[in-house]
Amino acid sequence: MPHDHDDHDHPHSLLPGDPVLRIKALETLLTKKGLVDPQALDAIIDTYENKIGPRNGAHVVAKAWLEPAFRAALLEDATKVVSELGYYGRQGEHMVAVQNTDTVHNMVVCTLCSCYPWPLLGIPPTWYKSDAYRARAVREPRKVLADFGVALPADRAVRVWDSTAEVRYLVIPQRPKGTDGWDEEALMDLVTRDSMIGTGLVHSPEARTT
């Protein structure tokens, strides 16, 4: 698992795996044959990485923090609520929202492959698709969270949700202290992709500036 190597500059860095290398080789071959436009591919990737995801998910989280009625509806029927916001499509047809609290921390994994809510979070990170994460997240979730730098109180339960082709999950992280009076846009900027998978926390503004 990438987080087990201390010599990386970033805890989530990872050398390309065999599937990544195969995809790159295929892209190169198709480009040479004139069947693929690299600029078009870059535009699609940029859209999913920076415009669609994870900003869509961050919008949902910030709205849930600000509007109790919206949060209740989201927890009741996430598919309906996010669809009404325009966040629907392939890989996001059946959504369930789970909320972190002072007693429960939620974490998402796909043990069979890499099912992931693309319309909300964009392209899944490499580590999410790795065999190590998929196996360890279920077997030893607290150790995996520690690899991500997440230390939870001993009395806080960790609940692992297995994403499938039928159901995908969105974690609603806890709203950090020091954000009273913040508007939706400002709150969105605090929400990270990892916090919506459950492998990260949303930190207070003070913690982010230190």
Side-chain angles (χ1 to χ4, degrees):
M1 191 166 183
H3 318 99
D4 295 333
H5 299 282
D6 296 329
D7 56 338
H8 293 312
D9 293 333
H10 190 284
H12 300 171
S13 61
L14 180 68
L15 292 175
D18 183 63
V20 177
L21 294 175
R22 287 174 179 269
I23 291 171
K24 186 62 179 177
L26 180 60
E27 177 188 339
T28 301
L29 178 62
L30 293 175
T31 299
K32 287 183 177 179
K33 290 181 175 293
L35 300 174
V36 168
D37 181 356
Q39 292 184 342
L41 284 178
D42 291 342
I44 293 171
I45 292 172
D46 177 68
T47 296
Y48 273 94
E49 283 187 337
N50 302 307
K51 297 182 177 66
I52 292 179
R55 292 295 289 178
N56 290 351
H59 177 215
V60 173
V61 169
K63 195 172 181 66
W65 284 345
L66 289 171
E67 303 176 22
F70 175 85
R71 181 173 63 249
L74 180 68
L75 295 172
E76 177 69 24
D77 188 347
T79 302
K80 178 176 183 294
V81 171
V82 300
S83 294
E84 289 174 349
L85 291 176
Y87 305 147
Y88 57 87
R90 289 181 61 83
Q91 310 301 322
E93 298 91 343
H94 308 289
M95 290 298 309
V96 172
V98 292
Q99 181 176 222
N100 286 349
T101 68
D102 288 338
T103 58
V104 176
H105 179 89
N106 297 282
M107 178 178 170
V108 181
V109 65
C110 177
T111 56
L112 293 179
C113 48
S114 58
C115 295
Y116 190 79
W118 283 52
L120 289 174
L121 301 187
I123 298 173
T126 301
W127 55 260
Y128 183 85
K129 298 178 284 186
S130 71
D131 292 339
Y133 175 76
R134 285 154 48 194
R136 292 185 60 213
V138 174
R139 187 175 66 249
E140 46 187 18
R142 287 186 182 274
K143 289 185 178 180
V144 172
L145 289 173
D147 289 342
F148 280 90
V150 176
L152 299 174
D155 60 351
R156 186 170 303 179
V158 177
R159 184 172 296 165
V160 180
W161 300 87
D162 192 358
S163 184
T164 68
E166 286 74 34
V167 180
R168 288 170 173 79
Y169 296 92
L170 174 70
V171 174
I172 308 301
Q174 289 183 286
R175 180 175 177 173
K177 297 179 180 178
T179 58
D180 293 343
W182 285 36
D183 62 19
E184 189 175 274
E185 189 70 23
L187 290 171
M188 285 175 61
D189 289 339
L190 294 177
V191 182
T192 65
R193 176 199 63 199
D194 287 10
S195 71
M196 293 182 283
I197 300 174
T199 53
L201 303 175
V202 178
H203 297 290
S204 66
E206 294 80 6
R208 288 167 63 93
T209 57
T210 57

